[in-house]
Amino acid sequence: MSKRLKRQLKQILIGLSIFAVLMVVEHTCGFPGILGTRWGELVLYLIPYLIAGRDVVKKCFLGIKNRQLLDECFLMTLATVGAFVTGENSEAVAVMLFYQVGEWFQSYAVGKSRRSITELMDIAPDFANVERADGSIEEVDPEEVQIGDTLVIRAGEKIPVDGTVLEGQSMVNTSALTGESVPRSAVPGDQIISGCINGEGLLKIRAEKKYEDSTMAQILELVENASSKKSKTENFITRFARYYTPIVVAGAVILALIPPIFTGNWMNWMMRACTFLVISCPCALVISVPLSFFGGIGAASNIGVLVKGSNYLEQMAHLDTVVSDKTGTLTEGVFHVTRVVPAEGVLEETMLRNAAIVESLSTHPIAKSIQAAYTEVLEPGLARDARNISGQGLIAKVGDSTVYVGNKRLMEENGIDYREIQDGESTVVYVAADGKFQGAILISDEIKDSAVKAIREMKQEGVRHVVMLTGDRKGIAEAVAEKLSVDEFRAELLPADKVQAVEELLARMSGDKKDGSNGKKKLAFIGDGINDAPVLSRADVGIAMGSMGSDAAIEAADVVIMDDDIGKIPRTIRIARQTVGIAYQNIAFALFIKILFLILGALGIIGMWWAVFADVGVAVICILNSMRMLKRKGL
């Protein structure tokens, strides 16, 4: 507990103890002498009242001073003062005490919920060890690290900025970012992101980004801004409370003044008005609904999913259509040579060597896969006079030969008699030398192990339509779509085409709404590349793969999956649906009890003690119901 919570709890316990003693004395032997008079009892009961409720009374007068008086502090102060005026001293103290108990539970719950999100702040490092040119180590502020600096990460220290491992081997704890407890290995050449904790080994990394551009800094910014983006349900409750409070105050004034004109008994009707005010306090609604969304965002962060605001969490609960990029999202995004088909009379090693030499001039993933398939070491400068033919491939001199590496268009444009290979699941790269066909290399991208299960679970969570968009050719897209069991796919798309495809799907959903279906249906897009940023922005909910995704994609997205596990999307949908369900439960329960007890209180059927339950009891029940989301770590 914070110091403020401890202080409030101490005040409540002291006030409650004095109140209990006064109640026992009053109902056993009574107060002696002058203390037994009306004014004496009032003074005695004011002691626990002010000890426990002085903060509420102070806020009430500050509200009046600032002309912002119609809040719950004003309602509680007005109701309790009215109870004192009518001689119901014990009821007045009880209302203030139990109201403060409810407020304490509320503060504790909000604090716990916020901590479940802001625990991510612990990933921020306090320092960075920079190795200088003379071999010395200088401890600097992480914000002073420059791109290209060599950082020394000792065992147990946090990675200050994103970088590449230069030396050393270790196991890196990524749980603060991804929610996964199993450490990941880090060896020279591996990319490593800030916020992770180094295990037992010593690592040297080269800084690839400045602190403010690193993964960790982006995460902290997302966390800090998440609470500012409220859901429609939260905004409704805020607007509701703004009109609700003046209405119930007016109702209480009418109840205190109008009926006594006809029936008399002013004190009785004033007590009913005070009971009406206590019952009407809207704290159960105002607190429990935002708390539900805090809990939902916290539950998502526990599994390594960052939701940038409760409005996006609410939209996730109403997903109808999920659109996904293919490469790097549904597939690994890592290409492998799966088959080498040399032409008759050509050695496989010769063909593969020629292709690897030419592709050494390219940084394309397919080129890298060919280089990786040729295991021998190649000397630099073997290829020269290279020409990159856009949309076709590469032509370069290798020794005395001219080597062609590319697609069938490259072969046809250069009059090479080649043997076409039909393979719907692979990208086919043809190789020729001096105008003679040497063979073909088949390259494939592997489907993620979690993708099939994720799509199946998304549908179980209520997603009706899953669409795959890709820039790959139709044959490859069709094969992947069939394995993944998606409902629809579109291939050979440029980035602008993807935006258009999402626009068409949104228009189709809008047409479905006009046919009488649920108007809350939402569309999500999942992507990871810089070319996905426009589509992520256009979708109702943009979901980015955070660990390997581009900065532009993460910036444009509304939800970030920190470890690229697409299987966490259905879990996030489940969290979102349960969060919204709990918020609706709280609204329905609180309104039902409030309305029922307001009627009973106005009719004089129930008194102040029942009013305490209708206010504090309902608030505590709703708060406890909201806190259930904080326990949902294994969804």
Side-chain angles (χ1 to χ4, degrees), residues 476-537:
I476 295 174
E478 187 172 9
V480 173
E482 185 176 349
K483 289 181 179 179
L484 292 172
S485 299
V486 299
D487 301 298
E488 182 181 345
F489 75 90
R490 303 188 187 188
E492 301 178 8
L493 301 177
L494 297 173
D497 298 328
K498 291 182 180 180
V499 175
Q500 184 178 352
V502 168
E503 293 279 7
E504 291 173 3
L505 290 167
L506 286 168
R508 188 165 71 190
M509 288 172 58
S510 178
D512 291 343
K513 294 173 189 177
K514 292 177 181 178
D515 292 338
S517 60
N518 188 355
K520 293 183 177 180
K521 293 192 299 185
K522 300 296 180 182
L523 179 146
F525 179 82
I526 312 167
D528 69 333
I530 190 168
N531 60 332
D532 294 328
V535 205
L536 288 165
S537 300

Short mmCIF file of all heavy atoms in Angstrom, two decimals, residues 476-537:
data_model
loop_
_atom_site.label_atom_id
_atom_site.label_comp_id
_atom_site.label_asym_id
_atom_site.label_seq_id
_atom_site.Cartn_x
_atom_site.Cartn_y
_atom_site.Cartn_z
N ILE A 476 1.43 -19.15 -54.66
CA ILE A 476 1.96 -19.27 -53.30
C ILE A 476 0.89 -18.88 -52.28
O ILE A 476 0.68 -19.56 -51.28
CB ILE A 476 3.20 -18.39 -53.14
CG1 ILE A 476 4.33 -18.89 -54.04
CG2 ILE A 476 3.66 -18.34 -51.69
CD1 ILE A 476 5.55 -18.01 -54.06
N ALA A 477 0.20 -17.78 -52.55
CA ALA A 477 -0.83 -17.31 -51.63
C ALA A 477 -1.94 -18.35 -51.46
O ALA A 477 -2.43 -18.60 -50.35
CB ALA A 477 -1.42 -16.00 -52.13
N GLU A 478 -2.32 -18.98 -52.57
CA GLU A 478 -3.39 -19.98 -52.52
C GLU A 478 -2.98 -21.18 -51.67
O GLU A 478 -3.77 -21.70 -50.87
CB GLU A 478 -3.74 -20.43 -53.93
CG GLU A 478 -4.96 -21.34 -54.01
CD GLU A 478 -5.37 -21.61 -55.44
OE1 GLU A 478 -4.62 -21.24 -56.37
OE2 GLU A 478 -6.46 -22.20 -55.62
N ALA A 479 -1.72 -21.61 -51.82
CA ALA A 479 -1.24 -22.76 -51.04
C ALA A 479 -1.21 -22.44 -49.55
O ALA A 479 -1.62 -23.26 -48.71
CB ALA A 479 0.15 -23.16 -51.53
N VAL A 480 -0.73 -21.24 -49.20
CA VAL A 480 -0.68 -20.85 -47.79
C VAL A 480 -2.08 -20.68 -47.21
O VAL A 480 -2.37 -21.12 -46.09
CB VAL A 480 0.12 -19.54 -47.63
CG1 VAL A 480 0.04 -19.01 -46.20
CG2 VAL A 480 1.58 -19.74 -48.02
N ALA A 481 -2.97 -20.07 -48.00
CA ALA A 481 -4.35 -19.87 -47.54
C ALA A 481 -5.05 -21.19 -47.26
O ALA A 481 -5.80 -21.32 -46.29
CB ALA A 481 -5.13 -19.07 -48.59
N GLU A 482 -4.76 -22.18 -48.11
CA GLU A 482 -5.39 -23.49 -47.91
C GLU A 482 -4.90 -24.15 -46.62
O GLU A 482 -5.67 -24.72 -45.87
CB GLU A 482 -5.08 -24.39 -49.11
CG GLU A 482 -5.79 -25.74 -49.06
CD GLU A 482 -5.53 -26.56 -50.31
OE1 GLU A 482 -4.97 -26.02 -51.28
OE2 GLU A 482 -5.87 -27.76 -50.28
N LYS A 483 -3.60 -24.05 -46.35
CA LYS A 483 -3.05 -24.64 -45.13
C LYS A 483 -3.56 -23.95 -43.88
O LYS A 483 -3.77 -24.57 -42.84
CB LYS A 483 -1.52 -24.58 -45.17
CG LYS A 483 -0.89 -25.52 -46.17
CD LYS A 483 0.63 -25.43 -46.12
CE LYS A 483 1.29 -26.39 -47.11
NZ LYS A 483 2.77 -26.30 -47.10
N LEU A 484 -3.78 -22.64 -43.99
CA LEU A 484 -4.21 -21.87 -42.82
C LEU A 484 -5.72 -21.88 -42.64
O LEU A 484 -6.21 -21.46 -41.58
CB LEU A 484 -3.74 -20.42 -42.96
CG LEU A 484 -2.24 -20.18 -42.87
CD1 LEU A 484 -1.91 -18.74 -43.22
CD2 LEU A 484 -1.73 -20.50 -41.47
N SER A 485 -6.46 -22.32 -43.65
CA SER A 485 -7.94 -22.34 -43.61
C SER A 485 -8.52 -20.94 -43.44
O SER A 485 -9.47 -20.73 -42.68
CB SER A 485 -8.43 -23.24 -42.47
OG SER A 485 -7.99 -24.57 -42.66
N VAL A 486 -7.93 -19.95 -44.15
CA VAL A 486 -8.51 -18.62 -44.12
C VAL A 486 -9.73 -18.58 -45.04
O VAL A 486 -9.86 -19.39 -45.96
CB VAL A 486 -7.48 -17.54 -44.53
CG1 VAL A 486 -6.30 -17.54 -43.58
CG2 VAL A 486 -7.03 -17.73 -45.96
N ASP A 487 -10.62 -17.63 -44.81
CA ASP A 487 -11.87 -17.56 -45.58
C ASP A 487 -11.67 -16.92 -46.95
O ASP A 487 -12.42 -17.18 -47.88
CB ASP A 487 -12.92 -16.76 -44.80
CG ASP A 487 -13.21 -17.39 -43.45
OD1 ASP A 487 -13.68 -18.53 -43.41
OD2 ASP A 487 -12.95 -16.73 -42.42
N GLU A 488 -10.64 -16.08 -47.05
CA GLU A 488 -10.44 -15.34 -48.31
C GLU A 488 -8.99 -14.89 -48.38
O GLU A 488 -8.36 -14.63 -47.35
CB GLU A 488 -11.38 -14.12 -48.32
CG GLU A 488 -11.34 -13.27 -49.55
CD GLU A 488 -12.27 -12.07 -49.46
OE1 GLU A 488 -13.15 -12.05 -48.57
OE2 GLU A 488 -12.07 -11.13 -50.27
N PHE A 489 -8.44 -14.81 -49.58
CA PHE A 489 -7.09 -14.26 -49.75
C PHE A 489 -7.04 -13.40 -51.01
O PHE A 489 -7.79 -13.60 -51.95
CB PHE A 489 -6.04 -15.38 -49.81
CG PHE A 489 -6.02 -16.13 -51.12
CD1 PHE A 489 -5.22 -15.71 -52.17
CD2 PHE A 489 -6.83 -17.25 -51.31
CE1 PHE A 489 -5.20 -16.39 -53.38
CE2 PHE A 489 -6.83 -17.93 -52.52
CZ PHE A 489 -6.01 -17.51 -53.56
N ARG A 490 -6.12 -12.46 -50.98
CA ARG A 490 -5.87 -11.62 -52.15
C ARG A 490 -4.36 -11.51 -52.33
O ARG A 490 -3.63 -11.22 -51.37
CB ARG A 490 -6.50 -10.23 -51.97
CG ARG A 490 -8.00 -10.29 -51.70
CD ARG A 490 -8.65 -8.94 -51.70
NE ARG A 490 -10.03 -9.01 -51.28
CZ ARG A 490 -10.89 -7.99 -51.33
NH1 ARG A 490 -10.47 -6.81 -51.80
NH2 ARG A 490 -12.13 -8.13 -50.92
N ALA A 491 -3.90 -11.76 -53.55
CA ALA A 491 -2.46 -11.87 -53.83
C ALA A 491 -2.00 -10.77 -54.79
O ALA A 491 -2.80 -10.04 -55.37
CB ALA A 491 -2.15 -13.24 -54.39
N GLU A 492 -0.66 -10.69 -54.93
CA GLU A 492 0.00 -9.77 -55.85
C GLU A 492 -0.44 -8.32 -55.61
O GLU A 492 -0.74 -7.57 -56.53
CB GLU A 492 -0.26 -10.19 -57.31
CG GLU A 492 0.25 -11.60 -57.60
CD GLU A 492 -0.06 -12.06 -59.02
OE1 GLU A 492 -0.53 -11.22 -59.82
OE2 GLU A 492 0.17 -13.24 -59.32
N LEU A 493 -0.46 -7.94 -54.32
CA LEU A 493 -0.92 -6.61 -53.92
C LEU A 493 0.26 -5.70 -53.60
O LEU A 493 1.21 -6.10 -52.93
CB LEU A 493 -1.83 -6.69 -52.69
CG LEU A 493 -3.10 -7.53 -52.80
CD1 LEU A 493 -3.82 -7.56 -51.46
CD2 LEU A 493 -4.02 -6.98 -53.89
N LEU A 494 0.18 -4.45 -54.03
CA LEU A 494 1.09 -3.41 -53.59
C LEU A 494 0.53 -2.81 -52.30
O LEU A 494 -0.65 -3.03 -51.97
CB LEU A 494 1.21 -2.33 -54.67
CG LEU A 494 1.81 -2.80 -56.01
CD1 LEU A 494 1.71 -1.68 -57.04
CD2 LEU A 494 3.24 -3.28 -55.83
N PRO A 495 1.34 -2.04 -51.54
CA PRO A 495 0.81 -1.43 -50.31
C PRO A 495 -0.49 -0.66 -50.51
O PRO A 495 -1.40 -0.76 -49.69
CB PRO A 495 1.96 -0.50 -49.88
CG PRO A 495 3.19 -1.18 -50.40
CD PRO A 495 2.78 -1.80 -51.71
N ALA A 496 -0.59 0.09 -51.59
CA ALA A 496 -1.82 0.84 -51.85
C ALA A 496 -2.99 -0.10 -52.11
O ALA A 496 -4.14 0.19 -51.75
CB ALA A 496 -1.62 1.77 -53.05
N ASP A 497 -2.71 -1.26 -52.72
CA ASP A 497 -3.76 -2.25 -52.98
C ASP A 497 -4.31 -2.82 -51.67
O ASP A 497 -5.50 -3.13 -51.56
CB ASP A 497 -3.23 -3.39 -53.85
CG ASP A 497 -2.76 -2.91 -55.22
OD1 ASP A 497 -3.37 -1.93 -55.72
OD2 ASP A 497 -1.81 -3.49 -55.77
N LYS A 498 -3.42 -2.96 -50.67
CA LYS A 498 -3.86 -3.49 -49.38
C LYS A 498 -4.83 -2.52 -48.71
O LYS A 498 -5.83 -2.94 -48.12
CB LYS A 498 -2.65 -3.75 -48.47
CG LYS A 498 -1.77 -4.90 -48.93
CD LYS A 498 -0.62 -5.14 -47.95
CE LYS A 498 0.27 -6.29 -48.40
NZ LYS A 498 1.38 -6.54 -47.46
N VAL A 499 -4.51 -1.23 -48.80
CA VAL A 499 -5.42 -0.23 -48.24
C VAL A 499 -6.78 -0.30 -48.93
O VAL A 499 -7.84 -0.27 -48.28
CB VAL A 499 -4.83 1.19 -48.37
CG1 VAL A 499 -5.83 2.24 -47.89
CG2 VAL A 499 -3.52 1.29 -47.59
N GLN A 500 -6.75 -0.43 -50.25
CA GLN A 500 -8.00 -0.52 -51.01
C GLN A 500 -8.77 -1.77 -50.62
O GLN A 500 -10.00 -1.73 -50.50
CB GLN A 500 -7.69 -0.54 -52.52
CG GLN A 500 -8.95 -0.53 -53.38
CD GLN A 500 -8.63 -0.51 -54.87
OE1 GLN A 500 -7.48 -0.35 -55.25
NE2 GLN A 500 -9.64 -0.67 -55.71
N ALA A 501 -8.07 -2.88 -50.42
CA ALA A 501 -8.73 -4.13 -50.03
C ALA A 501 -9.42 -3.97 -48.68
O ALA A 501 -10.57 -4.43 -48.49
CB ALA A 501 -7.72 -5.27 -49.97
N VAL A 502 -8.75 -3.31 -47.73
CA VAL A 502 -9.36 -3.08 -46.41
C VAL A 502 -10.56 -2.15 -46.54
O VAL A 502 -11.59 -2.35 -45.87
CB VAL A 502 -8.31 -2.51 -45.43
CG1 VAL A 502 -8.98 -2.00 -44.16
CG2 VAL A 502 -7.28 -3.58 -45.08
N GLU A 503 -10.45 -1.14 -47.39
CA GLU A 503 -11.59 -0.23 -47.63
C GLU A 503 -12.79 -1.01 -48.14
O GLU A 503 -13.93 -0.79 -47.71
CB GLU A 503 -11.20 0.85 -48.64
CG GLU A 503 -10.15 1.84 -48.15
CD GLU A 503 -10.74 2.94 -47.29
OE1 GLU A 503 -11.94 2.85 -46.97
OE2 GLU A 503 -9.99 3.86 -46.93
N GLU A 504 -12.55 -1.93 -49.07
CA GLU A 504 -13.65 -2.74 -49.61
C GLU A 504 -14.28 -3.63 -48.54
O GLU A 504 -15.51 -3.77 -48.49
CB GLU A 504 -13.11 -3.60 -50.76
CG GLU A 504 -12.73 -2.81 -52.01
CD GLU A 504 -12.05 -3.67 -53.06
OE1 GLU A 504 -11.93 -4.90 -52.83
OE2 GLU A 504 -11.63 -3.13 -54.10
N LEU A 505 -13.45 -4.21 -47.69
CA LEU A 505 -13.97 -5.06 -46.62
C LEU A 505 -14.78 -4.24 -45.61
O LEU A 505 -15.82 -4.69 -45.13
CB LEU A 505 -12.82 -5.78 -45.92
CG LEU A 505 -12.12 -6.87 -46.74
CD1 LEU A 505 -10.82 -7.28 -46.08
CD2 LEU A 505 -13.03 -8.08 -46.93
N LEU A 506 -14.29 -3.03 -45.30
CA LEU A 506 -15.05 -2.16 -44.39
C LEU A 506 -16.38 -1.76 -45.00
O LEU A 506 -17.41 -1.70 -44.31
CB LEU A 506 -14.22 -0.90 -44.07
CG LEU A 506 -13.04 -1.10 -43.12
CD1 LEU A 506 -12.14 0.14 -43.13
CD2 LEU A 506 -13.53 -1.37 -41.71
N ALA A 507 -16.38 -1.48 -46.31
CA ALA A 507 -17.63 -1.13 -47.00
C ALA A 507 -18.59 -2.30 -46.98
O ALA A 507 -19.80 -2.13 -46.79
CB ALA A 507 -17.33 -0.70 -48.44
N ARG A 508 -18.04 -3.51 -47.16
CA ARG A 508 -18.90 -4.71 -47.12
C ARG A 508 -19.50 -4.89 -45.74
O ARG A 508 -20.67 -5.24 -45.60
CB ARG A 508 -18.08 -5.93 -47.51
CG ARG A 508 -18.92 -7.19 -47.71
CD ARG A 508 -18.11 -8.24 -48.43
NE ARG A 508 -17.05 -8.79 -47.59
CZ ARG A 508 -16.09 -9.59 -48.05
NH1 ARG A 508 -16.04 -9.90 -49.33
NH2 ARG A 508 -15.17 -10.07 -47.24
N MET A 509 -18.70 -4.66 -44.69
CA MET A 509 -19.22 -4.76 -43.33
C MET A 509 -20.29 -3.71 -43.07
O MET A 509 -21.28 -3.97 -42.40
CB MET A 509 -18.08 -4.61 -42.33
CG MET A 509 -17.13 -5.79 -42.25
SD MET A 509 -15.68 -5.44 -41.23
CE MET A 509 -16.44 -5.02 -39.67
N SER A 510 -20.08 -2.51 -43.62
CA SER A 510 -21.07 -1.45 -43.46
C SER A 510 -22.38 -1.83 -44.11
O SER A 510 -23.47 -1.58 -43.59
CB SER A 510 -20.54 -0.16 -44.08
OG SER A 510 -21.48 0.88 -43.98
N GLY A 511 -22.29 -2.51 -45.25
CA GLY A 511 -23.50 -3.00 -45.91
C GLY A 511 -24.21 -4.06 -45.09
O GLY A 511 -25.44 -4.10 -45.02
N ASP A 512 -23.43 -4.91 -44.43
CA ASP A 512 -24.02 -5.93 -43.55
C ASP A 512 -24.79 -5.28 -42.42
O ASP A 512 -25.86 -5.75 -42.03
CB ASP A 512 -22.93 -6.83 -42.97
CG ASP A 512 -22.28 -7.72 -44.03
OD1 ASP A 512 -22.90 -7.86 -45.10
OD2 ASP A 512 -21.19 -8.24 -43.78
N LYS A 513 -24.25 -4.16 -41.88
CA LYS A 513 -24.93 -3.48 -40.78
C LYS A 513 -26.29 -2.95 -41.22
O LYS A 513 -27.27 -3.00 -40.48
CB LYS A 513 -24.06 -2.32 -40.26
CG LYS A 513 -22.75 -2.76 -39.61
CD LYS A 513 -21.88 -1.57 -39.29
CE LYS A 513 -20.50 -2.00 -38.85
NZ LYS A 513 -19.60 -0.86 -38.61
N LYS A 514 -26.37 -2.46 -42.48
CA LYS A 514 -27.63 -1.92 -42.98
C LYS A 514 -28.67 -3.01 -43.15
O LYS A 514 -29.87 -2.74 -43.16
CB LYS A 514 -27.40 -1.21 -44.32
CG LYS A 514 -26.56 0.06 -44.19
CD LYS A 514 -26.29 0.69 -45.54
CE LYS A 514 -25.43 1.94 -45.40
NZ LYS A 514 -25.12 2.55 -46.71
N ASP A 515 -28.18 -4.25 -43.26
CA ASP A 515 -29.11 -5.37 -43.39
C ASP A 515 -29.70 -5.80 -42.05
O ASP A 515 -30.46 -6.75 -41.98
CB ASP A 515 -28.41 -6.58 -44.04
CG ASP A 515 -28.06 -6.29 -45.49
OD1 ASP A 515 -28.70 -5.41 -46.06
OD2 ASP A 515 -27.15 -6.96 -46.02
N GLY A 516 -29.29 -5.10 -40.99
CA GLY A 516 -29.88 -5.39 -39.68
C GLY A 516 -28.99 -6.18 -38.75
O GLY A 516 -29.42 -6.55 -37.67
N SER A 517 -27.76 -6.43 -39.12
CA SER A 517 -26.86 -7.16 -38.23
C SER A 517 -26.25 -6.20 -37.21
O SER A 517 -26.51 -5.01 -37.20
CB SER A 517 -25.75 -7.84 -39.03
OG SER A 517 -25.01 -6.88 -39.74
N ASN A 518 -25.42 -6.74 -36.33
CA ASN A 518 -24.84 -5.97 -35.24
C ASN A 518 -24.00 -4.80 -35.77
O ASN A 518 -23.04 -4.99 -36.49
CB ASN A 518 -23.97 -6.91 -34.40
CG ASN A 518 -23.48 -6.23 -33.13
OD1 ASN A 518 -23.72 -5.04 -32.92
ND2 ASN A 518 -22.83 -6.99 -32.29
N GLY A 519 -24.35 -3.58 -35.36
CA GLY A 519 -23.63 -2.41 -35.82
C GLY A 519 -22.30 -2.19 -35.15
O GLY A 519 -21.59 -1.26 -35.48
N LYS A 520 -21.95 -3.04 -34.18
CA LYS A 520 -20.68 -2.89 -33.47
C LYS A 520 -19.55 -3.66 -34.13
O LYS A 520 -18.43 -3.69 -33.62
CB LYS A 520 -20.83 -3.37 -32.03
CG LYS A 520 -21.75 -2.49 -31.18
CD LYS A 520 -21.79 -2.99 -29.74
CE LYS A 520 -22.65 -2.10 -28.87
NZ LYS A 520 -22.69 -2.58 -27.47
N LYS A 521 -19.79 -4.31 -35.25
CA LYS A 521 -18.77 -5.15 -35.87
C LYS A 521 -17.54 -4.32 -36.25
O LYS A 521 -17.65 -3.25 -36.82
CB LYS A 521 -19.34 -5.85 -37.10
CG LYS A 521 -20.41 -6.88 -36.78
CD LYS A 521 -20.74 -7.76 -37.96
CE LYS A 521 -21.27 -6.98 -39.13
NZ LYS A 521 -21.69 -7.86 -40.23
N LYS A 522 -16.35 -4.86 -35.94
CA LYS A 522 -15.11 -4.15 -36.19
C LYS A 522 -14.16 -5.02 -37.02
O LYS A 522 -14.27 -6.24 -37.06
CB LYS A 522 -14.42 -3.79 -34.87
CG LYS A 522 -15.26 -2.89 -33.96
CD LYS A 522 -15.53 -1.54 -34.61
CE LYS A 522 -16.38 -0.66 -33.69
NZ LYS A 522 -16.70 0.65 -34.32
N LEU A 523 -13.22 -4.32 -37.69
CA LEU A 523 -12.21 -4.99 -38.51
C LEU A 523 -10.83 -4.71 -37.94
O LEU A 523 -10.50 -3.56 -37.62
CB LEU A 523 -12.30 -4.51 -39.95
CG LEU A 523 -11.30 -5.10 -40.95
CD1 LEU A 523 -11.95 -5.25 -42.33
CD2 LEU A 523 -10.04 -4.19 -41.09
N ALA A 524 -10.01 -5.76 -37.83
CA ALA A 524 -8.63 -5.61 -37.38
C ALA A 524 -7.69 -6.01 -38.50
O ALA A 524 -7.99 -6.92 -39.28
CB ALA A 524 -8.37 -6.48 -36.15
N PHE A 525 -6.55 -5.33 -38.56
CA PHE A 525 -5.50 -5.71 -39.52
C PHE A 525 -4.23 -6.04 -38.74
O PHE A 525 -3.83 -5.30 -37.84
CB PHE A 525 -5.21 -4.59 -40.51
CG PHE A 525 -4.11 -4.93 -41.50
CD1 PHE A 525 -4.40 -5.70 -42.62
CD2 PHE A 525 -2.80 -4.54 -41.27
CE1 PHE A 525 -3.40 -6.04 -43.52
CE2 PHE A 525 -1.79 -4.88 -42.16
CZ PHE A 525 -2.10 -5.64 -43.28
N ILE A 526 -3.59 -7.17 -39.10
CA ILE A 526 -2.35 -7.60 -38.45
C ILE A 526 -1.21 -7.45 -39.46
O ILE A 526 -1.29 -7.98 -40.57
CB ILE A 526 -2.44 -9.08 -38.01
CG1 ILE A 526 -3.75 -9.36 -37.27
CG2 ILE A 526 -1.25 -9.45 -37.14
CD1 ILE A 526 -4.04 -10.84 -37.10
N GLY A 527 -0.16 -6.73 -39.07
CA GLY A 527 0.97 -6.55 -39.96
C GLY A 527 2.25 -6.29 -39.19
O GLY A 527 2.23 -6.12 -37.97
N ASP A 528 3.38 -6.25 -39.92
CA ASP A 528 4.65 -6.01 -39.24
C ASP A 528 5.62 -5.14 -40.04
O ASP A 528 6.58 -4.64 -39.50
CB ASP A 528 5.34 -7.34 -38.91
CG ASP A 528 5.82 -8.05 -40.16
OD1 ASP A 528 5.21 -7.84 -41.23
OD2 ASP A 528 6.78 -8.84 -40.08
N GLY A 529 5.38 -4.96 -41.30
CA GLY A 529 6.33 -4.23 -42.14
C GLY A 529 6.01 -2.76 -42.24
O GLY A 529 4.91 -2.32 -41.92
N ILE A 530 6.98 -1.98 -42.70
CA ILE A 530 6.77 -0.54 -42.87
C ILE A 530 5.68 -0.27 -43.91
O ILE A 530 4.95 0.71 -43.84
CB ILE A 530 8.09 0.15 -43.26
CG1 ILE A 530 7.93 1.67 -43.18
CG2 ILE A 530 8.57 -0.28 -44.64
CD1 ILE A 530 9.24 2.42 -43.28
N ASN A 531 5.54 -1.20 -44.87
CA ASN A 531 4.49 -1.03 -45.88
C ASN A 531 3.11 -1.32 -45.33
O ASN A 531 2.10 -1.07 -46.00
CB ASN A 531 4.77 -1.93 -47.10
CG ASN A 531 4.80 -3.41 -46.72
OD1 ASN A 531 5.12 -3.75 -45.59
ND2 ASN A 531 4.47 -4.27 -47.66
N ASP A 532 3.04 -1.86 -44.11
CA ASP A 532 1.73 -2.14 -43.50
C ASP A 532 1.19 -0.95 -42.71
O ASP A 532 0.03 -0.97 -42.30
CB ASP A 532 1.83 -3.35 -42.55
CG ASP A 532 2.13 -4.64 -43.28
OD1 ASP A 532 1.68 -4.77 -44.42
OD2 ASP A 532 2.81 -5.51 -42.72
N ALA A 533 2.02 0.07 -42.48
CA ALA A 533 1.60 1.20 -41.64
C ALA A 533 0.31 1.88 -42.14
O ALA A 533 -0.58 2.17 -41.33
CB ALA A 533 2.73 2.22 -41.53
N PRO A 534 0.15 2.15 -43.45
CA PRO A 534 -1.10 2.79 -43.90
C PRO A 534 -2.34 1.93 -43.62
O PRO A 534 -3.39 2.46 -43.25
CB PRO A 534 -0.90 2.95 -45.42
CG PRO A 534 0.58 2.91 -45.61
CD PRO A 534 1.10 1.98 -44.57
N VAL A 535 -2.20 0.60 -43.76
CA VAL A 535 -3.35 -0.28 -43.53
C VAL A 535 -3.65 -0.37 -42.04
O VAL A 535 -4.82 -0.41 -41.63
CB VAL A 535 -3.08 -1.70 -44.08
CG1 VAL A 535 -4.37 -2.39 -44.41
CG2 VAL A 535 -2.19 -1.64 -45.30
N LEU A 536 -2.61 -0.42 -41.20
CA LEU A 536 -2.80 -0.46 -39.75
C LEU A 536 -3.57 0.77 -39.28
O LEU A 536 -4.43 0.69 -38.39
CB LEU A 536 -1.45 -0.54 -39.04
CG LEU A 536 -0.71 -1.88 -39.13
CD1 LEU A 536 0.75 -1.70 -38.72
CD2 LEU A 536 -1.38 -2.93 -38.27
N SER A 537 -3.28 1.91 -39.88
CA SER A 537 -3.96 3.15 -39.50
C SER A 537 -5.41 3.16 -39.97
O SER A 537 -6.28 3.73 -39.30
CB SER A 537 -3.23 4.36 -40.10
OG SER A 537 -1.91 4.42 -39.63
#
